[in-house]
Amino acid sequence: MALLLHPRLPSHPLRAAAHHHHAISDASCLLILRGPGRKRALLAVTCRAARVKEPAPSAGASPQALAKEAHKYFDHAVVTVRAGDGGHGAVLAMPPAPSADATKPRGRFNRGEKKGKKVSYKRNYDGSVALPTGGHGGDVVVYADEAEETLLRFHEKARYCAKRGGNVGAAGGTLSSQMHSGFAGETLRIPVPVGTVVKRKKGAVLADLAHPGDEVLVARGGQGGISLIDVPEYRRRKAMALSPNIMRDTSDKVLIHGQPGEEVSLELILRVVADVGLVGLPNAGKSTLLSAITLARPDIADYPFTTLMPNLGRLGGDPALGALQFSSEATLADLPGLIEGAHLGKGLGRNFLRHLRRTRVIVHVVDAAVDDPVNDYKIVREELRMYNPQYLERPYVVVLNKIDLPKAHDRLSSLALEISSIGCEEGHDQSGSKDNLHGHVSNHQVLSEAKVESGEKELGDYPRPQAVVAASVLRHIGIDEMLKEIRAALRKCIDHKLA
């Protein structure tokens, strides 16, 4: 016979043994088994419900990681959205028919009483009774908001649910004119920064929210359930004249349930919306340049990778245009410094090279005081080519920075000449096309077309820089000339688009 005894019983003789048995918890008990030879065996039985469950590890980034390494999470997030379920309908009973005794007057004092009014129901266009339905579930909409800057808050909360639709208000469950349909669920609107690309997780792109106010419907709410009239079989024919929604058997009750809302996993990718992108090696002076020509105040220090996230600044219009100067304003984006191998994931480059996709002009800042500025220029150009060759087709201006230092000032003319000679002339392809009209094809054109087809296009096959400007951003030397060339490159993009 087995006895189940608790070790905390004061009169139990095995209390001391239980205290020495450290493996037995507060929710454990002792089980004494007696065999044929009357030998006792002491076993510990632990209650499985008393075990403390350890909290599951969080799937998203911790708050400490978001605070210390915000540059890793600010432009990419995965969220799950669920639209609201549809509201439920109701099973309604026909109101009882008035009896003959209730309508018959019972004396001379009842002659002046008015008869009850006939109940009127809402009708559909075909004359049938409009039965109430459950409310539509709330939709989920993602829209671009200028007040939002990053996607960091989606790492703190990665699931959003819209409200469900209201049920049919059927007090008493009887068909009456006082009934109303369920209220529709409120649409859940989720704001994201301007320039966010919304796509299904491991799926197609849903929308590119490049302008303020752009929105996309990502999940539809469930349809509300219908209402059915439950009448006895002998009254169904008469009830069919009122409405076709007659419940024939219990299996029809499934129609009153609202449909579930859609649930979608979304991938949000932020691409900075800017007209001009500032690129270069670390400590080339990009952040200093941004603070010199705009009102932006980025972090500036004398160590590499000071900029961990893109900084935006607004460039004022060209004063030479007069009243039209406000139409020539542009947005500048200061990107973190690139290093050799950035297209393969080294440094911070690969995470931020995609922010150049919306830019129209690229400003390449080169430190003219280093040992080999031309090699630094080629390194950045090669990384842009390896990541996206279309970046090198855009107009770009080279800024030779830090010319106030003696080492840079002595070789300034040779540096400008050597950098401006890297690449081919833009008008060369146009002249080649004219030769084609006359039946002449140059050898250089044949070689360039063969390289494009084979994908072996090198730096020398891309257009040369539109201008090479010498400046010292810290000393405010050459700022006006640099702004003139940047605005000229922007006007060139506008003219090319209009053409």
Side-chain angles (χ1 to χ4, degrees):
M1 180 178 179
L3 297 177
L4 193 61
L5 302 176
H6 199 278
R8 291 203 174 189
L9 292 176
S11 60
H12 195 273
L14 299 178
R15 180 179 178 184
H19 283 290
H20 290 287
H21 200 286
H22 299 286
I24 300 177
S25 64
D26 293 340
S28 303
C29 54
L30 296 177
L31 184 63
I32 301 177
L33 300 178
R34 294 183 179 178
R38 297 186 178 273
K39 293 182 179 180
R40 296 182 179 182
L42 185 62
L43 298 178
V45 180
T46 304
C47 179
R48 189 176 290 181
R51 295 179 182 175
V52 180
K53 295 184 179 180
E54 297 181 357
S58 177
S62 62
Q64 294 79 7
L66 292 178
K68 294 181 179 180
E69 301 178 337
H71 60 279
K72 294 183 179 180
Y73 308 101
F74 85 101
D75 59 350
H76 184 271
V78 177
V79 298
T80 302
V81 297
R82 178 179 174 82
D85 298 338
H88 299 319
V91 177
L92 307 174
M94 292 293 295
S99 61
D101 296 338
T103 58
K104 183 178 179 181
R106 297 185 179 182
R108 61 177 182 176
F109 299 104
N110 298 329
R111 291 177 183 177
E113 294 182 359
K114 297 181 180 180
K115 295 182 179 180
K117 293 183 179 180
K118 187 177 180 180
V119 179
S120 61
Y121 302 103
K122 294 181 181 179
R123 302 282 177 170
N124 294 321
Y125 66 93
D126 57 353
S128 61
V129 176
L131 297 179
T133 58
H136 192 279
D139 300 329
V140 181
V141 174
V142 178
Y143 71 99
D145 188 2
E146 289 182 301
E148 299 291 331
E149 297 180 353
T150 66
L151 300 175
L152 290 177
R153 70 184 187 92
F154 294 103
H155 292 277
E156 300 174 357
K157 180 182 178 182
R159 184 175 180 85
Y160 296 84
C161 300
K163 293 183 178 180
R164 68 184 310 275
N167 298 333
V168 171
T174 305
L175 181 63
S176 66
S177 59
Q178 304 295 330
M179 300 179 57
H180 59 82
S181 299
F183 296 100
E186 184 180 359
T187 300
L188 177 62
R189 298 178 59 84
I190 303 175
V192 295
V194 179
T196 301
V197 178
V198 183
K199 58 178 295 187
R200 292 182 181 271
K201 187 179 179 181
K202 301 180 181 179
V205 175
L206 299 179
D208 186 1
L209 309 179
H211 305 284
D214 290 352
E215 62 181 35
V216 58
L217 178 65
V218 295
R220 297 182 181 274
Q223 190 72 25
I226 64 174
S227 296
L228 300 176
I229 299 178
D230 185 15
V231 295
E233 188 173 357
Y234 68 90
R235 296 184 60 185
R236 284 181 185 174
R237 180 172 297 181
K238 185 177 180 180
M240 287 289 289
L242 294 176
S243 175
N245 295 349
I246 304 298
M247 190 174 69
R248 294 172 177 80
D249 52 29
T250 56
S251 62
D252 290 343
K253 287 187 177 182
V254 70
L255 300 176
I256 71 173
H257 297 296
Q259 298 179 359
E262 296 180 347
E263 183 172 349
V264 185
S265 293
L266 301 176
E267 186 177 2
L268 305 179
I269 303 174
L270 176 59
R271 295 174 183 169
V272 172
V273 179
D275 302 303
V276 182
L278 304 179
V279 299
L281 291 179
N283 262 14
K286 302 182 295 298
S287 299
T288 308
L289 188 150
L290 182 69
S291 63
I293 62 179
T294 67
L295 297 178
R297 292 296 176 263
D299 295 335
I300 300 175
D302 58 351
Y303 54 85
F305 296 110
T306 307
T307 303
L308 298 179
M309 294 195 303
N311 297 310
L312 298 181
R314 190 68 177 171
L315 179 64
D318 188 1
L321 299 178
L324 300 177
Q325 63 176 337
F326 299 102
S327 62
S328 62
E329 294 181 348
T331 303
L332 277 71
D334 170 26
L335 301 183
L338 304 176
I339 62 174
E340 189 172 2
H343 69 282
L344 299 176
K346 294 183 179 180
L348 301 175
R350 185 173 180 83
N351 297 333
F352 300 103
L353 283 173
R354 62 167 170 262
H355 295 293
L356 289 174
R357 293 190 179 184
R358 303 186 191 275
T359 58
R360 295 182 294 171
V361 176
I362 295 179
V363 176
H364 190 166
V365 183
V366 179
D367 187 356
V370 296
D371 296 335
D372 194 351
V374 178
N375 183 51
D376 293 350
Y377 170 78
K378 292 181 179 180
I379 287 176
V380 175
R381 297 287 291 176
E382 181 66 19
E383 294 302 321
L384 296 178
R385 184 186 72 87
M386 295 297 292
Y387 182 81
N388 189 351
Q390 294 181 357
Y391 289 167
L392 301 189
E393 301 287 351
R394 300 174 185 176
Y396 69 102
V397 178
V398 179
V399 177
L400 297 178
N401 194 19
K402 305 179 183 180
I403 62 171
D404 56 313
L405 300 179
K407 187 176 182 180
H409 187 271
D410 297 340
R411 54 184 180 181
L412 183 59
S413 58
S414 60
L415 283 178
L417 180 62
E418 187 174 357
I419 290 178
S420 60
S421 63
I422 299 176
C424 62
E425 297 181 1
E426 266 188 299
H428 187 82
D429 294 337
Q430 298 177 358
S431 62
S433 60
K434 293 180 181 179
D435 293 340
N436 288 338
L437 296 177
H438 299 285
H440 303 289
V441 180
S442 61
N443 295 332
H444 180 81
Q445 185 179 0
V446 174
L447 292 177
S448 62
E449 291 179 356
K451 289 182 180 180
V452 171
E453 293 178 358
S454 61
E456 298 178 357
K457 204 171 181 182
E458 299 178 355
L459 291 180
D461 301 321
Y462 291 95
R464 294 176 182 175
Q466 180 170 328
V468 180
V469 182
S472 175
V473 180
L474 192 61
R475 303 291 182 181
H476 293 275
I477 302 174
I479 298 296
D480 295 336
E481 181 68 21
M482 178 183 61
L483 291 177
K484 180 180 177 181
E485 295 297 339
I486 293 176
R487 288 167 177 153
L490 289 172
R491 286 197 301 270
K492 181 179 178 181
C493 294
I494 295 175
D495 297 339
H496 179 71
K497 186 177 181 179
L498 295 176

